[in-house]
Amino acid sequence: MESQKKYTRCFSFEFFPPNTGEGAEKLAQTAKQLAQLKPEFFSVTYGAGGSTRERTLKAVLDLCEAGHAAAPHISCIGSSRSSVRETLQEYKNHGIRHLVALRGDLPSGTATSGEFHYANELVAFIREEFGGHFFIEVAAYPEYHPQSRSAQEDLNAFRRKIEAGADSAITQYFFNSDCYFHFVEECEAMGLRVPVVPGIMPIGRFSQLARFSDSCGAEIPRWIRKKLEGYGDDTASIRAFGLDIVTDMCDRLLANGAPGLHFYTLNQAGLTTTIWQRLGL
Ligand code: FAD
């Protein structure tokens, strides 16, 4: 874990771009509240196939205007090189220097995958076209990506993203810190020297969490699933139990060298703030 410790810790919060004026106002409030915790940056997701391109940019610019550091996500699947170049140029024109670069998933019913197949091609393209202008984050999967043919192939795919020029990585969320530590060891064994920041999903609603987890391949350990299921509609108990286990996991991650935390906030400040306060950050 040595190389992880060389970096200053980086804490960040992820939002999705709101699609109503009301959502935008709520996001501004959430950001204001979370900014008090002094994260390094906020990030804003990007819809499949560029479907939120304008909204992602607007949300990032609103955050910047309010004085926050913000990084847009950008995905490449289903896109042409010229449309990706245009999006990147627009980000650059607005003074944005930090990106989360992803392959993304094809929207259902889309027949063509466009000119990019995997995220390493996007990272290489950004470096070819924009040199060192952007600080590039990529995704990492301690429980392996659901489409990967094997653990080793997924690690190789991760290595290609770093070798293409990514600066740092943020993981898919997980509820078992062992998979994270194992992943970091595997990266170190491959000679990869970038921070791998754990992605943290606070637990608010079980049905939503179960749906997300099934689609992204993040395992909810059986004992946690059973407890959450057992609470039924008792949201207060779900949140209380979720706060306990997620806070404990964050504590273990930081105590054992994780270089920061990236919270999937779902545009809500409450659970993230409570975890933060309990960690004494
Ligand atoms: P890649 O790294 O390209 O990997 C995708 C799959 O392809 C993996 O299974 C990998 O093993 C395999 N692979 C890679 N290279 C090869 C190869 N040469 N041959 C065969 N197989 C290969 N999605 C969005 O749409 N918008 C977002 O804003 C967004 N933000 C995210 C933020 C984080 C921190 C994370 C962890 C995920 C995010 N996602 C987002 C989800 C992400 O787009 C999906 O998980 C997507 O399926 C994979 O994207 P990737 O960049 O990890 O792809």
Side-chain angles (χ1 to χ4, degrees):
M1 218 75 59
E2 259 331 286
S3 69
Q4 294 269 310
K5 287 181 184 146
K6 281 195 297 220
Y7 295 90
T8 338
R9 279 178 172 179
C10 178
F11 295 94
S12 50
F13 301 132
E14 182 173 307
F15 299 134
F16 58 85
N19 56 9
T20 61
E22 201 185 319
E25 267 170 44
K26 180 163 182 294
L27 180 57
Q29 282 310 314
T30 299
K32 194 169 168 193
Q33 209 175 324
L34 289 174
Q36 290 169 19
L37 309 180
K38 303 205 180 340
E40 262 66 35
F41 67 97
F42 293 120
S43 81
V44 181
T45 60
Y46 193 80
S51 56
T52 67
R53 182 178 144 159
E54 299 308 323
R55 285 194 281 124
T56 297
L57 176 65
K58 171 144 186 4
V60 164
L61 294 181
D62 287 350
L63 288 165
C64 292
E65 217 166 273
H68 312 306
H73 295 208
I74 179 168
S75 68
C76 60
I77 196 89
S79 302
S80 64
R81 289 165 73 88
S82 66
S83 73
V84 169
R85 184 184 295 113
E86 215 175 274
T87 304
L88 291 165
Q89 188 60 50
E90 202 169 8
Y91 288 163
K92 187 176 175 187
N93 293 347
H94 283 98
I96 292 162
R97 302 189 66 103
H98 192 165
L99 296 173
V100 183
L102 304 139
R103 183 197 70 175
D105 295 302
L106 276 179
S108 55
T110 311
T112 166
S113 63
E115 291 183 75
F116 296 89
H117 304 96
Y118 299 107
N120 65 298
E121 297 164 24
L122 173 62
V123 176
F125 181 73
I126 299 170
R127 289 291 177 236
E128 268 160 44
E129 300 271 329
F130 295 88
H133 177 80
F134 293 107
F135 182 92
I136 306 176
E137 313 263 2
V138 288
Y141 300 86
E143 294 181 304
Y144 307 112
H145 186 269
Q147 290 159 10
S148 62
R149 282 182 295 226
S150 69
Q152 190 55 49
E153 283 205 20
D154 209 32
L155 282 167
N156 293 342
F158 181 66
R159 175 175 33 201
R160 281 194 289 274
K161 293 193 277 195
I162 304 306
E163 289 175 349
D167 297 294
S168 183
I170 300 171
T171 76
Q172 182 57 275
Y173 69 87
F174 52 83
F175 296 107
N176 166 7
S177 54
D178 287 348
C179 70
Y180 169 79
F181 293 120
H182 182 72
F183 183 82
V184 168
E185 277 169 20
E186 300 249 68
C187 291
E188 299 210 345
M190 292 193 299
L192 303 179
R193 299 267 176 263
V194 296
V196 179
V197 176
I200 303 298
M201 179 67 88
I203 300 177
R205 278 191 292 148
F206 175 60
S207 55
Q208 187 188 40
L209 180 72
R211 209 174 49 247
F212 282 170
S213 303
D214 288 347
S215 68
C216 72
E219 188 179 65
I220 306 176
R222 180 181 158 83
W223 70 278
I224 296 178
R225 189 177 271 271
K226 283 297 213 190
K227 287 280 281 196
L228 293 171
E229 271 169 3
Y231 291 127
D233 294 332
D234 178 358
T235 318
S237 296
I238 291 174
R239 289 166 75 94
F241 173 70
L243 281 169
D244 285 348
I245 57 161
V246 175
T247 308
D248 279 357
M249 185 181 72
C250 292
D251 204 17
R252 228 177 359 261
L253 288 165
L254 293 173
N256 288 285
L261 300 170
H262 176 83
F263 287 88
Y264 296 106
T265 71
L266 305 181
N267 293 10
Q268 309 280 334
L271 290 170
T272 299
T273 306
T274 306
I275 294 168
W276 188 278
Q277 287 164 345
R278 287 199 191 175
L279 290 169
L281 292 170

